[in-house]
């Protein structure tokens, strides 16, 4: 049995997951990989911290150089997260000709290009399966299983926190605030939930998927982004009436040679497989020109699921050391401007209960080339009635222009919400 | 660019898919794999047959030896199906030190052990991703992505024909015969549908998944098998009332160190992700001790989806020639006997509308340690009423004994159906 020594940078949730998996599944992993994987060093900030995992104290160190200067360590596993010092550590490891496994979505999404370039120069492998959708093998899927395909579109539910919140709102009728509070109590949401509920987290992951699936460089700042804080119980209820479910989708697709990349709450048909991805589960729906529709579903976070991906990556490094990596010549695909993205829309508008109001509104839509597919008027409540409109496919620019004019009408109280609809054929 | 010459055995649906993908995605595949893959020879039965694919006639041959004796051919792709001559061809290729890619579920399920043994001796690779669930990378998933896991259970919808039929019965209220007819017209079902509707096809695929997921040899004849012909519109309707959907599930799980392997129609909760796998789609639900629940969903058949898996396997051979395969020491895990399998049951029984009948039936169940969870009596129809009973978890042996006695009751017309329920927690 060949022995291999690895180091962990960080012993948070994912680090603990990696430790526990390598311990509890040791025998099976040895048998399958042919390697006895030993965690030789673990970088932590505080050696004396109370931990929920039993790790021999002599493995812990606060000095990263002890790891980088140890030639017997072959793989560095970065599970700290964030930009620095993670980036510095990873580049140090690469320059010391150590392979790297990382779960760091932010770093890969924003600095992946430099990291992969240096890794190629040094002849080492950088694996990052755990950076998107935890235990779901989506990176591997795109990089290995689907190599025969031109990928046409990737649509993901890749943030577990917001999916948990939207599920609670949909299935239990909770409002956003209560659902967020419950997510925080369960440990799914941070005390400051901004990164999840405002979709920053999903944007980084979509950036990584875009780069792989479309072999293009992308600046994540150019990905269109909307959060879920605007979703009200009323919208969830009306969506259900219309046969839809609201999900936070991360979408990238090629349209006339350009890429649409966007993250926003979306109404999707209740019978689509993505509509039944509930709680904190993640799923990625991929369309390839050969494979057709493919969906990968599973746990997008948690110490063991994410640890599963990290340990899978470690084994993959050991087995594939001599394999030339899949070659991708990244281009710089042009992105579709937000106002040029075509979509159906759900609109909820409160208006005074006066004759003629619908006529004025639909006239404005008509003038802006927005055509209405369906319309429901809701019973009066506190002087106003709610109009729920569903449009045909239309450009975002036309919707925005229409809504500007509609907002100015005397009879109109408020544009309550605007949510995209994807019929996901 | 390195050139590699391969041969196709067969030019049916899958063969055409492989040809078309290698042609239409040639550039992307070359870029990613670093290889220019050339189909050098295609074995067919009749060179002059009319084909829906344009292949230069000089590539076609009816003489398999032209392929086996050609040292410039590195990979043989077997897409004929069935036992012979496919087995003979594959062994010939292996003995000639050619790598093999096959889509042949029957052959791998029944003769895999010999094939892999000879391949190991000759130092060649045998890839078979397309043998289970077409374009879905389930073999790769189990073999590569989940190596860090002990797999605890695999539950699949792995026969597209029966899933299409059950979907039509469920969503459109068709009866079995009309749904089968439609499946035949669409080309999803064969003129003789036995292999699909009696679950032989699913049994082969479950055999392959069992071997990989549990690292055990298994004789597919020992897999418990039921077809879907017994499912009536009434059962579909009552399932819906109870909150269930009927699917043909292929199940393998480890229970107290033994394996349960079974293929049968099953009621599953309507909110489970597998319940929404409709039409001819396939899905495989895997539970790993690290990754938790994982589901892979996609096209289980069709020339391009299956071709996608085959071409992915070809590229994988080229990239992994030097990689030692994942090692699995197969054991011979003991199977749970059918009568010892525990499950909930749905029972539909027609009885005379007389007082005391329910008392007699429930007494018999009680005597056989079967406890009833719920009970619905349906309105009278032609002298009889239907009783729909749902049991708690119970052994199949106890159900069978109970039903034997119940059948003998004067008041009982007929045991109309017995369907297992899996609550898939």
């Amino acid at each position: 049995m060949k022995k291999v020594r690895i180091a962990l940078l960080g012993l948070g949730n994912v680090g603990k997951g990696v430790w526990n998996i390598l311990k509890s599944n040791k025998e099976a992993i040895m048998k399958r990989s042919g390697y006895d994987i030993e965690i030789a060093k673990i970088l932590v900030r505080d050696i004396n911290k109370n931990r929920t995992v039993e790790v021999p104290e002599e493995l812990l160190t606060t000095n990263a150089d002890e790891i980088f200067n140890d030639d017997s360590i072959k793989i560095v596993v970065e599970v700290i997260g964030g930009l620095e010092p993670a980036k510095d550590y990873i580049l140090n490891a690469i320059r010391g000709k150590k392979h790297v496994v990382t779960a760091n979505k932010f770093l890969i999404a924003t600095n992946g290009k430099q990291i992969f370039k240096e890794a190629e120069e040094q002849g080492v492998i950088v694996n990052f399966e755990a950076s998107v959708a935890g235990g779901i093998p989506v990176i591997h899927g795109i990089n290995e299983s689907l190599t025969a395909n031109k990928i046409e579109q990737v649509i993901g539910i890749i943030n577990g926190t917001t999916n948990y919140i939207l599920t609670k709102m949909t299935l239990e009728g909770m409002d956003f605030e209560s659902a967020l509070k419950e997510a925080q109590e369960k440990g799914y949401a941070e005390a400051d939930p901004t990164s999840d509920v405002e979709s920053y987290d999903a944007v980084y992951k979509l950036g990584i998927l875009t780069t792989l699936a479309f072999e293009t460089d992308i600046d994540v700042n150019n990905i269109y982004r909307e959060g879920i804080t605007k979703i009200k119980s009323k919208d969830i209820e009306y969506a259900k009436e219309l046969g839809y479910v609201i999900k936070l989708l991360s979408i990238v697709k090629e349209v006339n040679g350009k890429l649409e990349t966007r993250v926003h709450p979306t109404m999707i048909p209740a019978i689509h497989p993505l509509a039944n991805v509930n709680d904190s589960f993640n799923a990625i729906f991929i369309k390839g020109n050969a494979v057709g529709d493919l969906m990968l579903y599973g746990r997008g976070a948690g110490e063991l699921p994410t640890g599963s991906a990290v340990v899978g990556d470690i084994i993959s490094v050991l087995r594939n050391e001599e394999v030339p990596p899949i070659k991708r010549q990244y281009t710089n695909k042009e992105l579709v401007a937000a106002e040029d993205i075509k979509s159906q829309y759900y609109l909820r508008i409160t208006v005074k209960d006066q004759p003629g109001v619908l006529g004025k509104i639909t006239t404005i839509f008509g003038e802006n080339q927005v055509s209405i597919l369906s319309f429901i008027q809701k019973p009066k409540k506190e002087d106003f009635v709610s109009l729920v409109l569903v449009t045909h496919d239309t450009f975002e620019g036309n919707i925005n222009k229409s809504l500007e004019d509609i907002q100015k009408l005397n009879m109109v109280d408020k544009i309550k919400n605007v949510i995209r609809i994807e019929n996901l054929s």
Side-chain angles (χ1 to χ4, degrees), chain A residues 213 224 235 265 371 401:
Chain A
Y224 178 85
D235 301 311
S371 97
K401 269 185 283 174

Side-chain angles (χ1 to χ4, degrees), chain A residues 104 153-154 381 388:
Chain A
N104 195 325
Q153 117 185 348
V154 178
K381 215 180 132 185
V388 173

Side-chain angles (χ1 to χ4, degrees), chain A residues 258-311:
Chain A
K258 292 188 194 179
L259 286 188
E260 273 184 34
T261 56
R262 46 198 171 96
V263 179
H264 52 68
T266 317
M267 292 195 186
I268 59 175
I271 56 159
H272 192 275
L274 281 173
N276 287 289
V277 175
N278 286 323
D279 298 320
S280 64
F281 278 95
N282 283 15
I284 299 101
F285 203 86
I286 302 173
K287 230 187 238 301
N289 75 338
V291 78
D293 290 342
L294 186 75
M295 186 172 87
L296 311 176
Y297 163 102
R299 290 268 168 215
E303 53 184 73
L304 290 178
T306 310
S308 167
V310 170
V311 177

Side-chain angles (χ1 to χ4, degrees), chain A residues 363-414:
Chain A
T363 303
I364 292 176
F365 279 127
E367 286 165 2
N368 288 290
Q369 285 83 48
V370 175
S371 97
I372 303 298
L373 171 68
S374 73
F375 155 78
I376 315 171
Q377 177 170 329
K378 293 290 162 185
K380 194 165 169 175
K381 215 180 132 185
E382 296 165 7
D383 296 337
F384 297 112
V385 295
S386 283
L387 303 182
V388 173
L389 297 117
V390 173
T391 74
H392 282 284
D393 263 345
T394 185
F395 291 110
E396 170 157 333
N398 293 346
I399 284 287
N400 290 344
K401 269 185 283 174
S402 307
L403 292 178
E404 245 171 63
D405 291 352
I406 288 169
Q407 184 62 80
K408 287 179 199 149
L409 291 175
N410 260 334
M411 297 164 169
V412 167
D413 170 46
K414 208 172 165 194

Side-chain angles (χ1 to χ4, degrees), chain A residues 81-108:
Chain A
L83 186 60
E84 290 294 3
K87 183 183 173 187
D88 192 41
Y89 289 160
I90 285 181
L91 291 177
N92 264 339
I94 291 172
R95 290 167 191 162
K97 301 219 184 281
K98 297 184 193 308
H99 301 293
V100 171
V101 172
T102 175
N104 195 325
K105 62 194 165 246
F106 180 71
L107 189 57
I108 295 295

Side-chain angles (χ1 to χ4, degrees), chain A residues 6-23 38-44 46-61 79 303:
Chain A
I6 71 173
L8 289 188
L9 309 182
L11 192 55
N13 273 337
V14 182
K16 277 187 280 184
V18 172
W19 174 270
N20 286 329
I21 292 168
L22 283 174
K23 205 167 159 183
E38 181 200 349
I39 297 182
K41 280 279 168 216
I42 304 175
L43 181 70
V44 294
D46 175 3
I47 289 189
N48 299 312
K49 188 180 160 187
N50 272 330
R51 297 176 205 282
T52 55
V53 62
E54 263 187 56
V55 174
E57 208 183 294
E58 66 268 23
L59 298 190
L60 304 180
T61 175
V79 285
E303 53 184 73

